[in-house]
Amino acid sequence: MTRNILSLQVPFHRAAVGEEEISAVAEVIRSNWLTMGAKTLQFEQEFARYVGAPFALAVSSCTAALHLALEAIGLQPGDEVLLPTTTFTATAEVVTYFGARPVLVDVDPATMNIDPTDARWRVTPRTKVIIPVHFAGQPCDMEEVIALSESHDLRVIEDAAHALPASFRGHPVGSICEFTAFSFYATKTLSTGEGGMVTTTNERCAERMKIMRLHGISRDAWNRYSSEGSWRYDVQEAGYKYNLTDLQAAIGLVQLAKCDAMCAARKRIAERYNAAFSSNPALQIPTVRHDRQSSWHLYILRLRPQILGFGRDEFMAALKARRIGTSVHFIPLHLHTYYQRKFGYRRGDFPNAEAQYDRCLSLPIFPSMQEEDVERVIDAVEEVCQIGQTAPSVADAR
Ligand SMILES: Cc1ncc(COP(=O)(O)O)c(C=O)c1O
């Protein structure tokens, strides 16, 4: 009882897992092969088919996927990598592993995706890579990104941690550029608890990443304890321990089979939110361009504090008091201590990202949300919007 009173009425996220995932994991446990094996290979094949990629490698996280892709293209100390400031630290952190420099780019104020015009302006002779992040699940303008990459000979690694499934002009994310990195973290649209996938069109890089994800030892090392395997292996490079396990892959296979249905459920929630909030002058609903499909990983609501009479933090606190879970995506990287200390970024450097950050919050959007959960969120948002309008003004109080 006490727990019910204290817990959130609508949490920010609830994992879409159940009996099917439990059975799949139980089957792996009974098989007695727990780490990377047949299930992981099956997951890679089915995932590659789903996104239309020639090669897919299952890894322990999206961070590992981004790291392996940068390693495969041979990023060097002093190289520069363009990426949006509105992202999670993982996108930039992997660049620093190489002694290379994350060059932050401002975002398009409508979509909060990387602004290709600002990116172009920041290119130098040292720029080697661009990492577009498909923020909240909406693909970036990939035509612009590809044009920039071609004109300056840049490699493209898409950060699709939010974007499964999503598409740009009918092309699924994962089939568009040379590399794409996906996340299966606990809150993501396909979750294995922790996990990720890197897809590529480059066979040579696929081979390299396959070796590097497992200590740099020859490609079938994972198989060395099976009856078909061999104890003999060769260490070709100093690699990483980035493999996925069959326990995780079993969950991933179940989740992949319902990925479209889960996306459709999130889309319905987004449409319901849009319908409820679009005519409220204090609120701004997400902008999704007509030529792309979002995964609707996040529903980003933006506030107009001058109309509301108060700001984002107060808005979130008022929703919390009504037991609605929310979050903020993201505190722009240039506002964090590390990026300021190490690379000299300052508040004021990226005005669009800052302006959107100051007034955005993420509402609950997950497939198992019931109609009444969605209504509760809408009612709470509308109620909170009234606070500023009904609170006595200074003049009234006199
Ligand atoms: C945009 C973005 N990129 C990368 C990551 C890292 O994903 P993972 O936790 O799978 O390493 C995240 C995780 O939240 C993310 O939001």
Side-chain angles (χ1 to χ4, degrees):
M1 268 305 183
T2 320
R3 190 167 166 270
N4 263 347
I5 292 165
L6 294 179
S7 65
L8 290 165
Q9 205 168 25
V10 186
F12 176 64
H13 180 76
R14 198 183 293 127
V17 287
E19 290 308 318
E20 273 187 285
E21 284 83 357
I22 292 170
S23 306
V25 170
E27 188 196 316
V28 171
I29 293 173
R30 288 196 193 95
S31 81
N32 213 21
W33 187 280
L34 304 186
T35 188
M36 182 160 71
K39 282 279 173 208
T40 308
L41 299 187
Q42 187 190 342
F43 184 36
E44 289 177 344
Q45 281 161 10
E46 293 191 15
F47 190 93
R49 204 174 313 127
Y50 183 67
V51 300
F55 306 99
L57 289 167
V59 288
S60 53
S61 67
C62 180
T63 309
L66 292 165
H67 183 193
L68 288 172
L70 288 171
E71 200 280 335
I73 64 175
L75 194 72
Q76 294 297 314
D79 285 350
E80 293 178 359
V81 177
L82 299 166
L83 57 105
T85 187
T86 301
T87 187
F88 185 60
T89 187
T91 318
E93 157 197 311
V94 290
V95 173
T96 70
Y97 296 174
F98 297 85
R101 184 183 174 87
V103 174
L104 303 182
V105 177
D106 209 350
V107 297
D108 171 348
T111 62
M112 296 174 72
N113 270 332
I114 193 165
D115 174 357
T117 309
D118 191 57
R120 187 174 287 276
W121 180 79
R122 294 176 195 278
V123 172
T124 75
R126 291 179 300 280
T127 312
K128 297 288 159 37
V129 181
I130 180 166
I131 308 183
V133 177
H134 304 311
F135 179 71
Q138 172 171 207
C140 298
D141 188 330
M142 293 311 293
E143 186 170 289
E144 293 273 352
V145 169
I146 291 166
L148 176 65
S149 74
E150 285 175 352
S151 62
H152 291 88
D153 200 16
L154 311 180
R155 308 292 278 267
V156 182
I157 301 173
E158 292 170 69
D159 180 335
H162 299 182
L164 181 77
S167 62
F168 179 78
R169 298 192 184 158
H171 302 285
V173 168
S175 71
I176 300 170
C177 286
E178 194 180 10
F179 297 93
T180 310
F182 295 90
S183 174
F184 307 144
Y185 176 67
T187 58
K188 296 299 194 282
T189 56
L190 182 161
S191 177
T192 59
E194 299 281 354
M197 190 78 74
V198 53
T199 60
T200 182
T201 54
N202 184 323
E203 188 168 6
R204 193 187 52 75
C205 288
E207 265 317 305
R208 172 84 187 176
M209 293 191 292
K210 199 182 265 183
I211 290 169
M212 295 306 281
R213 87 169 150 183
L214 201 62
H215 300 296
I217 53 186
S218 47
R219 58 190 273 208
D220 285 333
W222 63 270
N223 204 18
R224 67 192 183 283
Y225 298 114
S226 76
S227 53
E228 304 93 66
S230 157
W231 59 269
R232 199 181 285 280
Y233 61 86
D234 180 38
V235 176
Q236 297 174 357
E237 299 288 345
Y240 311 98
K241 185 68 161 72
Y242 276 169
N243 59 292
L244 199 75
T245 69
D246 269 16
L247 288 165
Q248 293 164 307
I251 302 173
L253 281 162
V254 174
Q255 294 257 301
L256 191 62
K258 55 187 190 187
C259 206
D260 286 344
M262 293 194 291
C263 182
R266 287 190 305 274
K267 190 171 179 205
R268 277 195 299 275
I269 298 165
E271 283 167 354
R272 183 70 194 90
Y273 283 157
N274 283 345
F277 303 144
S278 61
S279 56
N280 187 331
L283 304 176
Q284 181 185 333
I285 63 170
T287 301
V288 178
R289 302 282 186 216
H290 67 90
D291 58 354
R292 49 208 96 165
Q293 292 288 330
S294 174
S295 71
W296 288 107
H297 166 51
L298 299 173
Y299 186 91
I300 311 279
L301 185 65
R302 278 174 280 176
L303 310 176
R304 296 198 175 91
Q306 65 286 10
I307 297 177
L308 271 176
F310 55 94
R312 189 267 319 279
D313 295 357
E314 293 84 351
F315 199 95
M316 286 176 72
L319 285 178
K320 192 173 177 190
R322 286 160 180 77
R323 295 163 55 210
I324 305 294
T326 59
S327 190
V328 173
H329 297 86
F330 289 101
I331 305 168
L333 294 182
H334 71 282
L335 300 182
H336 288 284
T337 304
Y338 171 74
Y339 294 97
Q340 296 194 346
R341 187 183 67 229
K342 178 85 180 172
F343 301 106
Y345 289 113
R346 291 286 169 264
R347 183 174 284 278
D349 285 349
F350 302 97
N352 292 340
E354 286 174 32
Q356 304 317 311
Y357 160 63
D358 285 343
R359 65 193 192 94
C360 76
L361 70 152
S362 308
L363 294 182
I365 182 164
F366 51 87
S368 65
M369 262 180 107
Q370 301 298 307
E371 183 57 32
E372 65 253 33
D373 295 329
V374 181
E375 292 306 320
R376 275 192 194 113
V377 175
I378 291 171
D379 289 349
V381 166
E382 283 171 350
E383 209 178 289
V384 172
C385 285
Q386 296 304 315
I387 298 175
Q389 287 154 31
T390 55
S393 68
V394 177
D396 292 336
R398 251 188 247 135

